[in-house]
Amino acid sequence: HRHLLGIEGLSPADITTLLDLAETYATANRGSTAPEPVLKGLTQINMFFEASTRTQASFELAGKRLGADVMNMAMQASSLSKGETLIDTALTLNAMHPDLIVVRHPQSGAVNLLASKVNCAVLNAGDGRHEHPTQALLDALTIRRRKGRLHRLTVAICGDIAHSRVARSNMILLGLMENRVRLVGPKTLMPSGLDQMVAETTDDMREGLKDADVVMMLRLQRERMDGGFIPSEREYYHRFGLDAEKLAYARPDAIVMHPGPMNRGVEIDGLLADDINHSVIQEQVEMGVAVRMAAMDLLARTLREARDA
Ligand code: CP
């Protein structure tokens, strides 16, 4: 693959190859072992048109650990504010010959459009409600490490599914790897036209969590609700917030995940988020660096092959 734009288009073998490589980087990162500088001589530009803590920081760290020259564009201070379009901005940066561009954008499809205009590798760091592929991959790596496998698991994805690119990428990945995916949330926050791979949807947390191996919580994405239904936080927490009582319906060894940023007391009880018997939220962040190292390593190999050909 030339770019990483989404989970859609990847095969189970692609996913396994990437996770196996990420696992070696995770081991190296934990042991503070310096990896081979496989991105040495390459330039990575990070363009975040939307707020980010985890994704931006981990792409930067991942690039630096592998020896890339990493540049973070301050998009708020760029000439976009003077009316330059996304495409003209991309073409301008492309003329400086970067090798890897990492893009987050509030509009679905913006990253694919950008990828069609540049001649370097593009990694989607989240576009609108469309995809967040490296998030689904880091979630998959975390699940595989904790559960010892990435198939035949029951995964409950809970909350604001309609506005979530994380849910969409995870649904595709988990379906590809033959897991049972349940979507749990208010009917008003369920997407229309769900993929056929999704077996079940429910607006009852206890039903949705029953015997789940993995419980994945999502934030209410108010910034994407554009005047539509916005539930009150108290009512939402009562019905859909994950606490110990609701989690008791899942398997006793269920893991609790959250991509962040997390709103304690809205979609998840703060104590549960910190409960190391279930919560793997910090491990997700840790795996984020390893997965992004693996993704950029694999794309750099394709780049080099294309240039040597
Ligand atoms: N999970 C995630 O994408 O977090 P950030 O928005 O902080 O990057």
Side-chain angles (χ1 to χ4, degrees):
H1 297 272
R2 223 187 114 206
H3 306 294
L4 178 58
L5 302 176
I7 299 298
E8 207 161 16
L10 298 185
S11 66
D14 291 332
I15 292 166
T16 303
T17 299
L18 192 144
L19 296 185
D20 289 348
L21 181 59
E23 184 66 54
T24 68
Y25 282 130
T27 306
N29 290 344
R30 234 177 225 193
S32 299
T33 314
E36 286 290 310
V38 293
L39 301 185
K40 196 170 165 53
L42 300 185
T43 303
Q44 172 192 339
I45 301 182
N46 296 334
M47 298 167 75
F48 281 70
F49 296 90
E50 201 181 65
S52 170
T53 297
R54 282 145 285 267
T55 312
Q56 198 275 337
S58 59
F59 263 116
E60 182 175 352
L61 256 177
K64 286 181 171 162
R65 276 195 193 155
L66 294 178
D69 294 317
V70 185
M71 186 174 90
N72 290 304
M73 286 290 295
M75 296 320 301
Q76 261 85 9
S78 75
S79 285
L80 281 165
S81 60
K82 301 177 190 166
E84 189 167 60
T85 65
L86 168 69
I87 298 306
D88 283 333
T89 304
L91 290 175
T92 300
L93 291 171
N94 190 52
M96 299 179 199
H97 301 294
D99 302 287
L100 300 150
I101 298 187
V102 179
V103 191
R104 169 169 288 191
H105 199 279
Q107 285 171 328
S108 308
V111 182
N112 290 54
L113 179 66
L114 190 145
S116 71
K117 306 282 181 191
V118 297
N119 46 24
C120 58
V122 175
L123 294 103
N124 183 359
D127 64 324
R129 307 174 186 191
H130 177 225
E131 282 242 31
H132 193 350
T134 54
Q135 179 69 46
L137 289 161
L138 75 87
D139 290 340
L141 183 59
T142 309
I143 294 170
R144 198 175 77 166
R145 286 166 66 100
R146 286 299 181 122
K147 293 287 157 200
R149 67 183 199 274
L150 188 58
H151 61 274
R152 292 199 198 151
L153 294 166
T154 299
V155 183
I157 306 180
C158 309
D160 179 1
I161 314 285
H163 299 102
S164 177
R165 56 197 176 208
V166 175
R168 195 162 177 282
S169 290
N170 264 302
M171 266 186 260
I172 300 170
L173 189 153
L174 293 166
L176 271 176
M177 306 309 275
E178 298 186 4
N179 296 283
R180 181 177 183 182
V181 181
R182 282 193 204 136
L183 302 181
V184 191
K187 288 191 175 79
T188 45
L189 295 177
M190 282 289 168
S192 52
L194 279 171
D195 296 295
Q196 286 174 343
M197 67 186 79
V198 174
E200 300 151 59
T201 62
T202 176
D203 64 354
D204 183 319
M205 279 289 275
R206 291 165 186 84
E207 185 189 321
L209 264 51
K210 195 163 182 324
D211 299 328
D213 298 287
V214 177
V215 181
M216 199 178 278
M217 301 308 299
L218 300 170
R219 177 177 68 88
L220 287 172
Q221 305 218 6
R222 296 175 187 283
E223 71 275 26
R224 296 193 217 289
M225 290 185 188
D226 52 14
F229 169 76
I230 298 185
S232 92
E233 291 189 354
R234 266 171 74 105
E235 172 66 8
Y236 186 83
Y237 182 68
H238 177 66
R239 283 197 58 199
F240 297 102
L242 185 68
D243 57 15
E245 186 270 323
K246 294 191 190 88
L247 183 63
Y249 286 80
R251 285 177 54 97
D253 62 352
I255 56 169
V256 172
M257 307 182 78
H258 195 307
M262 160 166 75
N263 290 141
R264 291 171 185 258
V266 182
E267 71 272 11
I268 189 165
D269 170 44
L271 288 175
L272 189 52
D274 298 330
D275 177 358
I276 55 164
N277 293 316
H278 293 287
S279 173
V280 297
I281 295 169
Q282 297 307 322
E283 187 167 336
Q284 287 174 267
V285 177
E286 184 186 353
M287 292 309 116
V289 179
V291 155
R292 286 158 184 138
M293 289 168 83
M296 291 197 288
D297 179 352
L298 290 172
L299 289 179
R301 292 181 200 187
T302 307
L303 265 180
R304 287 202 175 95
E305 279 165 19
R307 286 172 184 175
D308 292 346

